[in-house]
Amino acid sequence: MQYSWKNIPRYIRYVFVQTLYLFLLMVMFRAIFYLFFFKTTITDSAAITKAWYLGLKFDLRLALMLIVPIAAIALISRNKFFTSKAICRTNFIYFFIVYLLLTLLYILDLGHYDYLGLRLDPSVLRFLAKGERADNARMVWQSYPVVRGALAIIIFMFIVYRIEKSTWKRFASQPAVYLRNWPFTSYVIGMVLLVAGGIYGNFAYFPLRWSQAMFTRDNGVTSLGLNPILYFVSNLTVEGDTFYLESTKKYYPAIAEYLKVDSLQTEKLNYVRTVPGDPTKPKLNVVLVMLESTGAAVTSMYNNPMQATPNMKRLADSGVLFKNFYVPAISTAKTVFGVTTGLPDITTVKTASRHPKMLDQRIVMDQFKGYDKLYLLGGNTNWANIRAVFTNNVEGVRIYEEGMYKSPKADVWGVSDYDLITEASGILKADNDKKQPFVAFLQLADNHPPYTTTSGAGDFKKMTEKELDMNKFKKSGFVSVDQFNALRYEDYNVGHLIDMARKDGYLDNTIFVFFGDHNCVLNPYSFMPLPEYELATGGVHVTAFMYSPKHIAPQQVTTPGSLLDVYPTVAKMVGMPYKNYTLGVDLFDSARVNNKYVFLNYVRNQLPYYAILGDRYLYEICLKTDSAALYDLKGDPMKNIRAQLPDTAKSLDNLTRGFSESTRYLLFNNKK
């Protein structure tokens, strides 16, 4: 065996060894992912084994793709491969760059998965948006061990350099093997076939495709089966965000009938609903409070074993709890845009707030005549270009951001939530003292990496693992004690806000609307009424409740609600006349109790879906394949019954596509 191996020309053997090195690097990162990041609800070892098998084939494909340039040089130069200084230099530079890029991309992928629960995809490019790179860099600096990580990368690259140098010297010192034309040709043909076969990756008519990794409904198993770099590159060619006029007109009747527009006009695409005012209602203040990364499943109102949010539960029990409240998509920027404009942000790579052609919108907040309008954020509103969402669409809006507060910055997201609430309450008190009604958007941020918590008034204390019931903790979905404490801190600050409102005198004439912007990344959990972790709807199912002790009676609303519905609802509650040009409706509309759907976008098994969810049915369409499925949420929510209920499926298909196409159209055509 050794004799046969030595008889192979050393430049060919070198190529094989370097391919093995590259492959082993990828296997190492795959093992790291499996040991420290992988989570699944699937217990079938065969599925996990299959994911490993597919993943290793993807790793081999990438290794072979990367070795092609060196293989080509080796076959062209043959025995000069180890005697040419230019080739030697090119070889070392090439492998250094390849190993450095692979290492950085794999580390980025692991961080991306730890943050969002998804493998690396082109949406990560939004973090490189102009004007936001510094903030995102600071977030990374404060959330992750950057210095230790950089030192580890330097040490790793030094080890790679030593291995590469040693490998080169070992092969260069071996005697050359000279081949005649036919033996050499056979080696070339053999190498080409082996490399091509490895890249093709399948014993089938079609080559290995990343969709093969999606053989289960489980995101963890799918993620294990993918190579993140190949997956990232394959999705770089996504189409730009646009709208399709003919498709919009085709599905307009379904969405127009659902929205109950003033006048159904397919050619003009009219979406307007005119809502009269009620002068008998008091002009209450409205405070919208966005709770960072606060999904339904993590809070005390939804049976989470850890009961981390007693203040939220107290307010929800005394107010209105929306049990089935959803945001259209996972992203803080998408939530701020969605609640403000009444349109789902369904952009693919960037967000609508970063898209100049989507920033001009006719919105309900702008129609609060006689109200002071405020947006209060602890950080900088240049983040995700959010400033323009308000200044471009809300006349006279007052923005408060970092640099305008007395309190110091706590982290990359600006002043702490406790300090933000304290100073914001003073601003709202000034309006209230002048008898000036206000509508304010207060955005919290600390329930987010780097999970900064303060002592608040001196009485907030973080809990340690020793103080927790870890059996309950493992069932709760939380991925770390830091994450758990950050949610507790957010809940503490919700209580602080109500205390400040009472102290500053505006509690009794204010409606508070609390809602999460999306769920956080969680370990598998099973205590919710629906298997939302498996369905992937858990990421967009958020906590939402209203509190106004003098004006709202306690109740629970089980009819599905959407982030898009917030402003239409509060405008009706304070008797404000308005025109609704977009897709939100009144959350308390009794005529919709059995006919209310919310529009969702989520990712399952790395595939994007858009869907509508109602009291009974979930209808989803895969954005990549256009395949559709219908699930009975009161039956078996994991079983596709589209074939069994063709009429229901057809009706919901029209409504789902109506939501999607009308959203695309309105994002560009709802200008003031």
Side-chain angles (χ1 to χ4, degrees):
M1 186 69 181
Q2 185 178 7
Y3 177 77
S4 299
W5 173 250
K6 290 292 185 181
N7 276 311
I8 299 173
R10 55 184 177 169
Y11 50 87
I12 294 178
R13 286 186 281 122
Y14 179 79
V15 169
F16 277 105
V17 169
Q18 289 291 4
T19 305
L20 179 62
Y21 286 170
L22 289 169
F23 178 66
L24 290 176
L25 175 73
M26 297 171 202
V27 173
M28 179 188 76
F29 277 107
R30 185 169 298 280
I32 291 172
F33 174 82
Y34 180 73
L35 293 172
F36 301 104
F37 297 87
F38 176 68
K39 50 192 175 224
T40 180
T41 58
I42 290 180
T43 57
D44 180 14
S45 60
I48 297 174
T49 300
K50 183 177 179 180
W52 264 100
Y53 169 69
L54 290 170
L56 292 175
K57 290 209 294 183
F58 282 116
D59 293 344
L60 180 60
R61 168 184 280 179
L62 180 57
L64 290 170
M65 286 178 170
L66 294 172
I67 206 64
V68 165
I70 297 299
I73 294 173
L75 292 176
I76 292 170
S77 61
R78 298 170 74 168
N79 284 311
K80 294 180 182 179
F81 185 77
F82 289 104
T83 59
S84 169
K85 291 184 179 179
I87 291 176
C88 177
R89 190 179 303 110
T90 300
N91 179 82
F92 274 103
I93 292 173
Y94 177 78
F95 278 118
F96 183 85
I97 293 173
V98 164
Y99 278 101
L100 181 60
L101 288 178
L102 284 176
T103 302
L104 293 175
L105 286 172
Y106 269 105
I107 291 173
L108 178 61
D109 169 68
L110 294 176
H112 189 267
Y113 191 88
D114 182 56
Y115 181 30
L116 296 173
L118 300 171
R119 301 312 292 259
L120 199 64
D121 65 39
S123 67
V124 73
L125 297 176
R126 71 185 186 274
F127 296 117
L128 299 177
K130 187 177 180 180
E132 301 173 42
R133 302 184 188 108
D135 284 343
N136 291 325
R138 283 194 292 271
M139 188 274 286
V140 171
W141 176 265
Q142 294 171 11
S143 302
Y144 300 98
V146 176
V147 174
R148 284 179 291 163
L151 289 173
I153 291 172
I154 291 171
I155 293 170
F156 178 74
M157 290 306 300
F158 177 75
I159 294 171
V160 168
Y161 166 76
R162 297 295 299 178
I163 291 173
E164 286 295 315
K165 187 174 181 180
S166 173
T167 303
W168 178 271
K169 285 185 175 181
R170 186 170 70 253
F171 278 94
S173 65
Q174 294 174 4
V177 176
Y178 295 92
L179 298 176
R180 296 182 182 274
N181 288 339
W182 279 113
F184 175 73
T185 302
S186 65
Y187 273 117
V188 172
I189 294 173
M191 282 188 68
V192 170
L193 290 176
L194 286 173
V195 171
I199 293 174
Y200 191 81
N202 257 356
F203 295 102
Y205 179 73
F206 54 87
L208 179 68
R209 292 172 179 160
W210 54 262
S211 58
Q212 287 178 249
M214 297 162 186
F215 60 91
T216 70
R217 295 168 57 91
D218 186 86
N219 181 65
V221 173
T222 296
S223 299
L224 180 62
L226 291 171
N227 178 287
I229 297 171
L230 289 176
Y231 180 74
F232 177 86
V233 172
S234 68
N235 283 281
L236 274 175
T237 57
V238 294
E239 295 181 0
D241 296 302
T242 186
F243 68 94
Y244 309 98
L245 188 58
E246 290 306 312
S247 294
T248 307
K249 290 181 177 179
K250 178 180 178 180
Y251 297 107
Y252 169 79
I255 189 68
E257 182 180 355
Y258 172 79
L259 293 173
K260 302 176 183 177
V261 300
D262 291 351
S263 175
L264 196 154
Q265 301 173 22
T266 302
E267 287 304 313
K268 292 185 178 180
L269 292 174
N270 175 49
Y271 293 87
V272 181
R273 288 92 74 206
T274 303
V275 180
D278 185 349
T280 66
K281 291 185 176 180
K283 293 295 182 285
L284 301 174
N285 306 314
V286 177
V287 177
L288 275 60
V289 184
M290 196 208 82
L291 305 169
E292 173 65 46
S293 303
T294 309
V298 295
T299 59
S300 300
M301 299 83 80
Y302 301 85
N303 303 317
N304 189 288
M306 293 306 295
Q307 295 291 295
T309 59
N311 287 310
M312 293 185 198
K313 189 175 190 312
R314 172 174 56 85
L315 299 181
D317 288 346
S318 304
V320 182
L321 173 64
F322 299 96
K323 293 285 285 186
N324 296 295
F325 191 91
Y326 292 82
V327 296
I330 296 177
S331 165
T332 301
K334 288 175 183 282
T335 284
V336 176
F337 182 90
V339 70
T340 306
T341 66
L343 290 175
D345 181 349
I346 58 174
T347 52
T348 51
V349 176
K350 292 187 176 181
T351 59
S353 61
R354 296 174 171 101
H355 200 305
K357 293 183 179 179
M358 297 180 185
L359 283 173
D360 189 3
Q361 300 290 335
R362 294 180 290 185
I363 66 177
V364 176
M365 184 184 185
D366 188 48
Q367 299 177 55
F368 272 69
K369 302 304 179 185
Y371 273 66
D372 195 10
K373 306 174 187 73
L374 306 98
Y375 174 53
L376 304 108
L377 173 73
N380 192 297
T381 54
N382 286 339
W383 156 79
N385 197 35
I386 288 299
R387 181 194 305 275
V389 175
F390 290 92
T391 58
N392 198 52
N393 297 309
V394 184
E395 185 177 357
V397 66
R398 288 197 287 146
I399 291 178
Y400 292 85
E401 58 184 324
E402 68 177 30
M404 302 175 71
Y405 304 113
K406 297 177 182 177
S407 304
K409 285 183 64 172
D411 59 23
V412 62
W413 305 123
V415 304
S416 73
D417 284 350
Y418 181 86
D419 290 336
L420 170 64
I421 287 170
T422 302
E423 297 203 38
S425 188
I427 295 167
L428 301 182
K429 178 183 185 299
D431 269 2
N432 189 68
D433 289 348
K434 294 184 297 184
K435 308 299 182 184
Q436 170 64 57
F438 53 81
V439 54
F441 188 119
L442 177 63
Q443 182 172 333
L444 305 186
D446 285 340
N447 188 28
H448 184 295
Y451 295 137
T452 299
T453 59
T454 71
S455 61
D459 55 346
F460 178 78
K461 300 291 189 297
K462 293 198 288 187
M463 298 183 73
T464 65
E465 187 172 322
K466 292 180 180 179
E467 298 174 275
L468 300 177
D469 182 337
M470 294 310 293
N471 288 325
K472 287 184 178 180
F473 190 84
K474 290 175 182 177
K475 297 176 182 177
S476 68
F478 289 104
V479 299
S480 70
V481 176
D482 283 343
Q483 183 190 55
F484 172 69
N485 277 317
L487 179 64
R488 290 181 58 246
Y489 180 67
E490 181 179 68
D491 179 73
Y492 171 89
N493 285 313
V494 166
H496 175 53
L497 173 61
I498 299 304
D499 290 342
M500 290 297 299
R502 183 180 294 108
K503 173 179 173 290
D504 289 337
Y506 59 90
L507 176 63
D508 290 344
N509 61 331
T510 300
I511 299 171
F512 290 89
V513 186
F514 297 86
F515 57 90
D517 62 334
H518 55 77
N519 209 344
C520 51
V521 174
L522 295 173
N523 285 323
Y525 57 92
S526 58
F527 53 82
M528 297 292 279
L530 292 176
E532 59 180 37
Y533 185 89
E534 293 81 0
L535 287 169
T537 57
V540 289
H541 184 196
V542 299
T543 191
F545 54 94
M546 288 183 179
Y547 181 70
S548 185
K550 297 290 186 180
H551 302 280
I552 295 178
Q555 64 171 306
Q556 289 192 1
V557 176
T558 58
T559 303
S562 171
L563 181 79
L564 312 178
D565 305 332
V566 171
Y567 272 109
T569 301
V570 294
K572 186 76 177 292
M573 292 175 73
V574 301
M576 183 65 61
Y578 67 95
K579 286 189 175 183
N580 192 347
Y581 300 94
T582 54
L583 302 180
V585 299
D586 181 4
L587 285 165
F588 297 116
D589 186 351
S590 59
R592 294 187 180 275
V593 171
N594 297 314
N595 185 34
K596 177 66 161 64
Y597 288 91
V598 292
F599 182 66
L600 313 175
N601 288 262
Y602 48 82
V603 176
R604 186 175 65 244
N605 293 354
Q606 300 291 139
L607 281 176
Y609 292 85
Y610 63 98
I612 58 172
L613 182 147
D615 182 59
R616 177 159 189 175
Y617 295 112
L618 169 67
Y619 190 87
E620 68 177 19
I621 300 171
C622 180
L623 197 61
K624 292 277 188 183
T625 65
D626 204 46
S627 59
L630 173 66
Y631 304 100
D632 185 353
L633 302 179
K634 293 186 176 180
D636 182 354
M638 302 295 290
K639 181 181 179 182
N640 181 6
I641 58 169
R642 186 167 179 261
Q644 286 77 20
L645 297 175
D647 293 338
T648 301
K650 179 62 177 175
S651 174
L652 295 182
D653 187 86
N654 287 337
L655 185 57
T656 306
R657 296 181 190 275
F659 263 109
S660 178
E661 297 300 335
S662 291
T663 296
R664 293 181 184 279
Y665 173 79
L666 287 168
L667 284 171
F668 290 94
N669 295 280
N670 187 39
K671 294 179 172 57
K672 294 182 286 298

